[in-house]
Amino acid sequence: MSDQPQFRALSLGAGVQSSTLLALSAEGVLPKVDYAIFADTGWEPRAVYAHLDRLEREVAAPAGIPVFRVSAGNIRNDALNPDHRFASMPLHILNQDGRPGMTRRQCTGEYKVRPIKQKVRALLGYPYPNRIPKGVFVEQWVGISTDEFHRAKDADVKYMRNRHPLLDIPWSRSDCVRYLTSLGLADTPKSSCLGCPFHGNAQWRHIRDTSPSEWADVVEFDAAIRQGNARANASGSRLLGEAFLHRSRVPLSEAPINHVTAAERAALQLSAEEAQALESGVEDGCSPWACRGDAEALTQDGFGLAT
């Protein structure tokens, strides 16, 4: 039995860490990956798609690294389609009794992990439901830096073995930013859905102030999911409470997304750490094997009462 991978594949989210890994591989600083796989939720910010295009054109293609874009559908459209089974986003919930909660997170597995697994299986030559022989596996690179080492995880299938090269170097997110800046990629965006409930106020402001059309899009979506996803409502399983994109649990168009002043922080009884989290959100974007949502407690089971 060989202990060598069939190939190396980079899980490319097009954020800071995975962009760094792609560039390090393309430049020969790290071993060359055979493929880079981008899982497209269909609702990424325009800046992410533009950055991905540039990575493919200026970094991957000259190094001979194919970039595959895979998708399980459009997460926004699916949430609003009463005929589509929807993998729930971690929405902020206000229960009927006033208690806060969150819906269970299923979106990462459905829209990120599953299409990547399907592509890896196809590249191995064993598409589902074919059985992958024992000992056949790929080495999958995941962009986890030293300041988020706790997010590093193994894959949940034997045919994929996760590796975290940034931990081996070792590089922090700041090291990655400096490196990308040296390559002229200082504007690398965070990788996450346009309407991700884990955005901090800074990200919501950025959308509002720089892209009116995208802001209108997320405000419209926020209003549309107030009673949960469309299929649940159509089937009579209405959410017992109200759902919101912003953690303040008020409509996004009214949410307090400007800078929190010292007086506001005191009035809200926020610690410095809580105020920073409210402002910046989780520092890094959405990775299939290290979702930013893992830093939060998701306590909603389905679409009933959150606890």
Side-chain angles (χ1 to χ4, degrees), residues 12 14 18 25 38-39 57 59 100 102 108-109 114 129 234 247 267 298:
L12 179 63
S18 64
S25 177
F38 175 80
R57 181 177 64 252
V59 178
M102 293 191 79
T108 302
R114 182 178 296 179
R247 65 183 63 201
L298 306 186

Side-chain angles (χ1 to χ4, degrees), residues 7 27 35 50 125 208 239:
F7 55 81
E27 288 199 319
Y35 309 106
R208 181 194 65 188
L239 181 68

Side-chain angles (χ1 to χ4, degrees), residues 170-210:
W171 273 18
S172 67
R173 188 177 193 278
S174 296
D175 293 322
C176 295
V177 170
R178 281 193 291 270
Y179 173 66
L180 292 174
T181 300
S182 74
L183 300 179
L185 296 170
D187 57 349
T188 297
K190 286 185 180 180
S191 173
S192 60
C193 286
L194 186 64
C196 179
F198 289 109
H199 283 342
N201 286 342
Q203 289 165 286
W204 290 125
R205 284 198 307 275
H206 179 75
I207 297 170
R208 181 194 65 188
D209 298 342
T210 65

